[in-house]
Amino acid sequence: MDIHALARNRSPKPEKHPKGTAARVLLSSVFGPYAQDDEFGSRSINPMELYHNQVTRAQGSFSLRMFHRSWGIMLIQKNISAPCTVLDFPTREDFARELTKNEYDVVGVSSIIVNVAKVREMCRMIRKLSPQSTIIVGGHVAAIPGVDKLVDADHIVKGEGVAWMRRYLGEDENAPIRHPAIVSGMRTRIMGIRLPERKGATAATIIPSVGCPMGCNFCTTSAFFGGKGNFVNFFETGDELFDVMCQMEKDLAVNSFFVMDENFLLHRERAMRLLDRMKEAHKSWTMSVFASANAIRKYTMQELVDLGVSWLWMGLESPRSSYAKLQGTDSRELTRQLREHGIRVQGSTIIGLEHHTPDNIVAEIEHAVSHDTDFHQFMLYTPVPGTPLYQQMQEEGRLLSDVDYADVHGQFKFNFKHAAISRDDSKRFLDWAFWRDFELNGPSLYRISRTLLAGWKRYKDWPDARVRERFAREMHRHSGVYSSALWAMERQFKKVDARVSAQIGELRQEFKRESGLVSRMLPAVLGPVLLWTTRREEKQLANGRTYEPPSILERRNWVEAGA
Ligand code: B12
Ligand code: SF4
């Protein structure tokens, strides 16, 4: 019997669970391992990593490796009062064990589109191992047209999930949002070394909202939460945000924040109120944010620095694109200024826009690379279900019907017919863009060291103590390690590009002049160690080494459930 028949034979589940908040809930991300090719849609080129997947993937042992938790289900867990388990990055065995060990009334599976085959398998497992459970599927996978025919679920939830789950369990969906304590990254690794995980050393993730009102045609997050003109705010005001950040500062002992909001700076009133509160309370916080160029231009450099913005993810897309967010911006000049003020820039460029041809694409990539951002993401122009671009391509009959969803992630080949570039060439241009950025600009670790030093030199004697302290703190924490890494990079990068290697050497000397005694001495000891671990890592990567996130299980309200 196929799953369509299964779905038809089952009686429809009610819109509200009969047990209400007494229902036991399991929320799971899709199962791993991820960085391998398998029948469930895992792909070796699509690991569960942000930087190595789509930013630093050509940088070999210098690639930044780290994992991020599944924040959507953590947010839902924190905002329902039912007994709830979150299972993150399980193996199939972990998932099966949890389903049989506890009796769950509701099992929620969170997924993005590439992992739809895993959702199908997980639904099959739930029906078999926990037949009493209601199955809810949420996250971006819900945007696939006809997904209810692909997976055997009782409810498929499109858009924001906290309100939906609250409604389903009979709770007040408009109650204030409680923010979970989230450490932004884990198991960070670079140059063959895993960084120690000290409390407070890694930024806290803050989620002020989901969606983005700019509505760029390809943007899946904007489309999923309402499209152009819409988004869902969890924290409306700067005051609310300030309170959440104070809470996280206390719970996680952090003073830096990864702000998971597609366009944080667009909401100027909220950001400026947050700044007022930070100033009043003398908060010398650091913030990593996503923002479009038009939003960044609403602020002076000084305001950004005062806010503590130290890392900024900005869509550069293409110099000839017509996106409203880029109109009137000289993105190279903006990048240069940001970096001079100690703000690390992560650029994002699209390969395969409609106007791209084999004749102009190289120049466009060279233009992107000439921004010399600290990090650069390259992504294929990709019509993703749910977006205006997908609808347009469908209407024009240009979608390729034989592409597996597991390969629709923008890091492999086109999933549509491009007017001038073939599928195979799309991959070649994409791979070349990553390589060119690395070859010309060097490892991102070198570039972020350079931006930190620029900020330090500019702000070390600044009258506002909050700003001064922030740069001093970063310099104090990192200068010894960065100098040592530069020592090793200078040597290792010689074989890639002697010119960049010499630049790395110059920066190392500058660090030496600006650092304290310990940091000046450290490279003599730590440098050779890092060179050795870097070379060992190169060898292991060449032998096919991959990394997987750990499986994590967290329960909430569980004691009250009597388990
Ligand atoms: C962190 C992140 C990751 C992490 C992984 C986190 C994880 N544990 O899965 C990393 C960095 C590893 C990653 C990898 C990838 N990612 Co990613 N990622 C994100 C990012 C930046 C944040 C996600 C997040 O937490 N958002 C905030 C939370 C609150 O929102 P949310 O997850 O959408 O959850 C809400 C709803 O969707 C819903 N919901 C979610 N789950 C559930 C479950 C239930 C039961 C219910 C009822 C509701 C529900 O309720 C939540 C609260 O409102 C998003 C961009 C974004 N702004 O969302 C991209 C994003 C999710 N990633 C995306 C992609 C494409 C990828 C990659 C394929 C990378 C690539 N090549 O582009 C890989 C895939 C890796 C793999 N093998 O699976 C796309 C998904 C596109 C799509 N339509 O499917 C996004 C939207 C980015 C984008 N704009 O393209 N990613
Ligand atoms: S500005 Fe960025 S986040 Fe907003 S719609 Fe455009 S691509 Fe998406």
Side-chain angles (χ1 to χ4, degrees):
M1 183 188 281
D2 72 11
I3 64 163
H4 308 154
L6 260 175
R8 277 195 300 274
N9 289 347
R10 192 160 287 111
S11 54
K13 298 273 177 167
E15 285 303 321
K16 199 167 154 197
H17 198 279
K19 289 193 183 171
T21 54
R24 282 169 164 237
V25 180
L26 170 64
L27 297 174
S28 182
S29 54
V30 296
F31 60 83
Y34 310 96
Q36 61 172 32
D37 295 323
D38 70 20
E39 78 266 38
F40 299 114
S42 281
R43 295 289 185 265
S44 53
I45 61 159
N46 192 23
M48 194 50 89
E49 297 175 65
L50 171 60
Y51 289 93
H52 193 65
N53 186 322
Q54 64 216 69
V55 185
T56 54
R57 71 170 162 92
Q59 300 193 12
S61 54
F62 302 116
S63 179
L64 179 56
R65 317 290 303 250
M66 67 161 78
F67 302 106
H68 303 275
R69 293 286 308 277
S70 303
W71 300 325
I73 49 177
M74 290 174 82
L75 188 68
I76 296 174
Q77 183 192 40
K78 183 77 181 181
N79 285 284
I80 54 176
S81 31
C84 178
T85 303
V86 157
L87 189 53
D88 218 352
F89 312 123
T91 58
R92 284 172 80 220
E93 294 71 32
D94 294 331
F95 185 58
R97 196 177 319 113
E98 190 54 29
L99 284 175
T100 41
K101 209 172 86 190
N102 289 292
E103 208 163 280
Y104 285 105
D105 301 297
V106 176
V107 181
V109 179
S110 175
S111 173
I112 61 176
I113 289 175
V114 283
N115 295 319
V116 62
K118 297 190 181 202
V119 180
R120 177 202 286 248
E121 171 63 4
M122 288 170 88
C123 291
R124 190 194 64 78
M125 289 169 73
I126 302 164
R127 293 285 185 233
K128 187 167 162 217
L129 302 173
S130 181
Q132 78 288 350
S133 301
T134 301
I135 304 179
I136 302 172
V137 169
H140 287 268
V141 72
I144 296 180
V147 65
D148 54 324
K149 310 280 183 314
L150 298 177
V151 304
D152 179 17
D154 299 302
H155 300 285
I156 293 183
V157 179
K158 274 195 190 155
E160 206 284 297
V162 172
W164 193 95
M165 278 300 277
R166 281 175 163 175
R167 218 167 31 241
Y168 183 65
L169 298 170
E171 298 192 51
D172 175 8
E173 64 181 277
N174 298 315
I177 294 286
R178 285 185 295 262
H179 202 291
I182 305 175
V183 177
S184 68
M186 57 182 173
R187 302 218 173 167
T188 306
R189 192 180 174 88
I190 193 158
M191 296 175 80
I193 290 231
R194 181 158 150 205
L195 306 188
E197 288 182 355
R198 260 184 315 107
K199 188 169 183 188
T202 309
T205 295
I206 302 285
I207 310 171
S209 70
V210 284
C212 171
M214 294 302 291
C216 299
N217 66 339
F218 61 86
C219 184
T220 173
T221 23
S222 176
F224 195 63
F225 296 101
K228 205 175 175 74
N230 298 305
F231 59 99
V232 180
N233 244 353
F234 294 129
F235 305 101
E236 293 280 348
T237 65
D239 292 296
E240 285 174 88
L241 213 49
F242 179 77
D243 291 344
V244 169
M245 290 166 83
C246 286
Q247 187 62 47
M248 293 306 123
E249 180 185 42
K250 203 159 122 241
D251 292 353
L252 298 171
V254 292
N255 43 34
S256 70
F257 299 90
F258 178 87
V259 185
M260 187 55 255
D261 183 313
E262 285 290 34
N263 209 337
F264 177 70
L265 295 176
L266 202 55
H267 313 282
R268 184 178 156 90
E269 202 183 322
R270 184 174 69 180
M272 293 313 281
R273 178 63 190 151
L274 175 64
L275 176 57
D276 288 344
R277 296 293 306 273
M278 284 168 62
K279 282 183 175 166
E280 273 165 34
H282 192 85
K283 296 291 185 195
S284 173
W285 287 338
T286 302
M287 259 184 260
S288 302
V289 304
F290 296 77
S292 55
N294 66 326
I296 299 167
R297 283 182 19 239
K298 291 180 175 187
Y299 301 79
T300 62
M301 282 296 146
Q302 208 48 58
E303 284 169 338
L304 295 176
V305 170
D306 287 352
L307 254 175
V309 174
S310 68
W311 183 95
L312 214 156
W313 184 313
M314 168 171 56
L316 302 170
E317 323 309 9
S318 150
R320 282 170 57 192
S321 63
S322 53
Y323 295 111
K325 63 182 176 180
L326 290 164
Q327 297 308 306
T329 302
D330 177 346
S331 52
R332 273 195 295 201
E333 177 55 18
L334 181 59
T335 304
R336 194 188 57 74
Q337 281 181 22
L338 289 164
R339 295 192 63 188
E340 272 180 6
H341 288 264
I343 300 175
R344 299 165 191 102
V345 179
Q346 169 147 344
S348 178
T349 291
I350 302 178
I351 306 289
L353 286 162
E354 297 284 12
H355 69 272
H356 284 158
T357 66
D359 290 335
N360 66 24
I361 186 107
V362 169
E364 290 243 346
I365 292 171
E366 292 288 9
H367 174 81
V369 167
S370 73
H371 283 76
D372 195 6
T373 51
D374 297 84
F375 293 97
H376 211 130
Q377 166 181 271
F378 295 93
M379 271 279 171
L380 289 179
Y381 195 48
T382 305
V384 174
T387 59
L389 179 63
Y390 185 86
Q391 197 179 337
Q392 178 204 328
M393 292 280 177
Q394 198 167 35
E395 283 162 13
E396 292 171 4
R398 292 167 64 195
L399 290 174
L400 301 177
S401 55
D402 55 349
V403 179
D404 193 323
Y405 281 123
D407 296 314
V408 182
H409 52 67
Q411 291 296 325
F412 183 48
K413 295 179 180 179
F414 284 150
N415 64 334
F416 71 102
K417 199 165 162 15
H418 191 278
I421 297 174
S422 72
R423 248 195 122 216
D424 287 345
D425 279 348
S426 68
K427 177 164 168 30
R428 276 195 273 275
F429 288 127
L430 178 73
D431 291 349
W432 185 74
F434 279 108
W435 171 250
R436 185 70 180 143
D437 181 57
F438 181 49
E439 180 193 44
L440 211 66
N441 298 322
S444 287
L445 184 57
Y446 151 61
R447 305 185 225 171
I448 59 175
S449 320
R450 197 175 51 185
T451 304
L452 169 61
L453 196 69
W456 157 256
K457 281 169 44 186
R458 195 173 196 120
Y459 289 106
K460 64 182 173 184
D461 299 318
W462 200 246
D464 182 345
R466 277 182 338 108
V467 174
R468 212 170 53 232
E469 278 166 23
R470 174 161 73 82
F471 282 98
R473 194 170 64 226
E474 277 212 62
M475 194 63 180
H476 177 71
R477 252 193 223 158
H478 299 307
S479 65
V481 175
Y482 280 1
S483 302
S484 310
L486 290 169
W487 187 96
M489 268 186 266
E490 182 185 345
R491 280 152 187 80
Q492 184 71 359
F493 209 74
K494 263 192 197 129
K495 64 182 180 195
V496 181
D497 191 303
R499 180 191 54 88
V500 177
S501 166
Q503 288 168 359
I504 296 174
E506 282 163 30
L507 183 67
R508 185 170 60 80
Q509 292 301 339
E510 248 190 285
F511 258 98
K512 205 169 176 179
R513 287 194 289 277
E514 296 288 335
S515 302
L517 186 66
V518 179
S519 298
R520 274 207 300 273
M521 307 300 285
L522 200 60
V525 184
L526 188 57
V529 175
L530 285 176
L531 186 60
W532 183 79
T533 56
T534 299
R535 289 180 175 162
R536 185 190 55 179
E537 183 79 357
E538 278 305 336
K539 276 194 209 123
Q540 289 176 342
L541 292 173
N543 287 334
R545 177 156 197 177
T546 55
Y547 294 99
E548 295 289 345
S551 179
I552 296 170
L553 185 143
E554 282 166 345
R555 303 198 197 278
R556 191 168 176 274
N557 302 325
W558 201 250
V559 180
E560 296 88 72

